[in-house]
Amino acid sequence: MLSIQKLSLSLILLGGFSTAFSQNKEAKKLQPISKPLVSDIYTADPSAHVFEGKIYIYPSHDIEAGVKENDNGDHFAMKDYHILSLDKIGGKVTDHGVALDIKDIPWAGRQLWAPDAAYKNGKYYLYFPLKDKNDVFRIGVATSTKPAGPFRAEKNPIKGSFSIDPCVFKDTDGSFYMYFGGIWGGQLQKWSKGSYDAKGALQANNQEALAPKIAKLSNDMLSFSEKPKDVKILDEHGKTLLAGDNTKRFFEAAWLHKYNGRYYFSYSTGDTHFINYAIGDNPYGPFTYKGVILKPVQGWTNHHSIVEFKGKWYLFYHDTEISGKTHLRNVKVTELKYNPDGSIQTIDAYK
C-alpha cells in the first residue's frame, strides 16, 4: 500500500503530467513564434553568452537512448555536448561538434544534463551536472582556450557541489557566482539536511519550498570559495514561497541576469511548466517574485537563458516542435522586452 506521502506525490505527478498533456495538445494547434535553431540534432536547456562578439549557446544534447520515461528523468540520457554559435539573431547557426564527451570525464557515471559556461583571463569554463559512479549528481568543470571547445574535464567534480543546472553569473565587479539545484530527479530534496540522503523527500505543501543554491567561485574558477547558501524567493508580502505554491516556487533551471542595476533571478516551476522571475538587490538575494516570463511550452520541461546582444535582450528556450517527444527537444530564441518599471513582458511561445 502506498504511504500518504507517496500517494500525495503520485497525485502531484499525475496532475503535472495531465496538465502538460493538455498544454501540449493545445500547443500543437497553435503556430510557434520561433523556429528551431538547428534540426539535425536535438538540443535543449540553452545557456547563451556573448563571447568574441558572437552568441554562443551551451545546450544539452538530447538523444534517443531507449530508456523508459520515468519521474527521475532517466530517459534524459545525454552523453555529450555540442556548442552552437551565431553572428546575429536569425542568422546562420554553426554546430561546432562534440565539445565534451562523457567517456572523457574521469568521474563519470551517467546523464550529462544542462550546462553553462563562463570566461575569465583567456580561458573558457564549461560547467556541467553529471551523476557520479554512485548515481549522485555532482557539478563538474572543463576548460578550453576557445569558446566552442573542445573542453578538457577536471579529474574530479567541484568539491561541495551537488544537484543540477549550474548557472554562472559574472557581476560588474568581476566576481563570479554559481546558482544551481533542481528538485525531483535533480536530487535537491536529498540534500535538505546538509548531506546526501537517498531517502530524502520533498517538502510538504505547507512547508517552505526548497531553495536553489548559490556559491561564489574561487579565483581559479574551479572550486567554490564558500559553502553553498540558500537563495530565498519571497512573495509580495516578504514571506518565503511554500512548496505548495507550485505555480511560483523554484523547481529547476536557475538563471541570473542584471538589468538597470537590479538582479533578476529566473527559473522553471517544473510540474506547472512556467518560467518565472524574481528581483533582488544583490547576487545572494532575497529575490521577490514578480511574474511569468514564459508560459508553458510543448513538452514537459521548460528551461531558458536570457542575454543582451547588440542593444536588445533575448530569451533562449526549448520546446518539442520537431519530435513531439518530451526528451527530444529543440532550442529556440525570441526577443525579450521590459516595461518602463523594469517588469518583463510575458511571452507566449505560440500564436
Side-chain angles (χ1 to χ4, degrees):
M1 179 178 292
L2 282 174
S3 67
I4 295 298
Q5 187 177 35
K6 289 183 178 179
L7 178 59
S8 297
L9 178 57
S10 297
L11 291 173
I12 291 170
L13 295 175
L14 179 59
F17 286 123
S18 296
T19 301
F21 178 74
S22 175
Q23 290 161 345
N24 292 348
K25 284 184 69 178
E26 186 66 23
K28 289 178 181 178
K29 298 177 184 177
L30 302 175
Q31 181 66 33
I33 61 172
S34 303
K35 300 303 294 180
L37 293 183
V38 293
S39 57
D40 57 327
I41 62 171
Y42 294 110
T43 54
D45 313 321
S47 293
H49 293 273
V50 178
F51 295 138
E52 300 181 352
K54 298 181 180 181
I55 293 181
Y56 282 86
I57 306 163
Y58 300 83
S60 301
H61 176 205
D62 287 349
I63 59 172
E64 182 56 83
V67 179
K68 187 177 180 180
E69 186 172 330
N70 62 31
D71 298 331
N72 287 326
D74 289 339
H75 47 301
F76 295 104
M78 303 82 141
K79 296 181 179 180
D80 63 25
Y81 293 117
H82 283 234
I83 295 168
L84 311 176
S85 69
L86 59 163
D87 294 314
K88 63 180 182 179
I89 300 296
K92 179 183 176 182
V93 178
T94 300
D95 177 354
H96 294 273
V98 175
L100 179 65
D101 193 293
I102 195 169
K103 66 179 174 26
D104 297 321
I105 302 171
W107 57 275
R110 63 189 180 110
Q111 296 183 285
L112 280 170
W113 282 11
D116 194 19
Y119 170 78
K120 182 180 179 180
N121 295 339
K123 189 176 290 188
Y124 294 89
Y125 300 84
L126 181 67
Y127 299 93
F128 55 91
L130 173 65
K131 284 180 178 174
D132 63 18
K133 298 181 189 302
N134 295 314
D135 225 31
V136 176
F137 268 117
R138 306 286 183 177
I139 296 173
V141 57
T143 58
S144 177
T145 57
K146 299 178 181 179
F151 285 85
R152 182 182 179 87
E154 294 292 303
K155 292 182 179 179
N156 297 295
I158 295 173
K159 185 177 180 180
S161 70
F162 53 92
S163 197
I164 61 170
D165 292 355
C167 161
V168 176
F169 167 74
K170 181 183 180 181
D171 207 350
T172 46
D173 66 356
S175 298
F176 287 84
Y177 301 88
M178 180 184 289
Y179 300 81
F180 61 95
I183 63 175
W184 291 13
Q187 301 181 343
L188 188 60
Q189 71 276 7
K190 299 181 185 298
W191 292 88
S192 61
K193 296 180 180 179
S195 59
Y196 183 78
D197 177 3
K199 297 181 179 180
L202 295 170
Q203 313 303 89
N205 283 346
N206 62 353
Q207 292 180 301
E208 290 188 358
L210 285 169
K213 305 296 181 181
I214 179 175
K216 191 173 185 179
L217 290 173
S218 61
N219 289 332
D220 65 7
M221 301 290 282
L222 302 177
S223 60
F224 295 154
S225 65
E226 61 184 2
K227 186 177 179 179
K229 299 176 172 66
D230 284 353
V231 177
K232 288 289 187 181
I233 304 174
L234 310 177
D235 65 16
E236 66 272 22
H237 305 297
K239 295 183 178 180
T240 303
L241 292 176
L242 302 180
D245 297 327
N246 68 335
T247 61
K248 295 182 178 180
R249 62 91 175 91
F250 172 84
F251 187 103
E252 62 186 359
W255 188 261
L256 195 90
H257 75 281
K258 201 170 183 179
Y259 176 76
N260 283 349
R262 304 202 73 191
Y263 297 84
Y264 287 64
F265 182 79
S266 49
Y267 55 93
S268 170
T269 62
D271 56 327
T272 52
H273 320 291
F274 293 104
I275 298 296
N276 288 345
Y277 74 105
I279 299 178
D281 294 319
N282 70 79
Y284 291 95
F287 297 92
T288 300
Y289 174 84
K290 293 297 182 181
V292 175
I293 295 176
L294 180 65
K295 293 181 179 179
V297 297
Q298 180 184 351
W300 199 89
T301 65
N302 208 353
H303 196 124
H304 71 300
S305 60
I306 295 169
V307 67
E308 185 181 15
F309 186 59
K310 297 182 178 179
K312 290 186 176 183
W313 288 87
Y314 295 95
L315 176 77
F316 286 79
Y317 64 102
H318 67 234
D319 68 9
T320 60
E321 179 184 345
I322 296 176
S323 73
K325 298 180 179 180
T326 285
H327 64 293
L328 300 176
R329 299 159 291 181
N330 40 252
V331 167
K332 297 184 170 186
V333 62
T334 191
E335 188 175 352
L336 181 141
K337 297 180 180 180
Y338 299 87
N339 295 313
D341 64 358
S343 60
I344 295 175
Q345 296 180 16
T346 299
I347 295 169
D348 191 330
Y350 310 94
K351 298 178 183 177

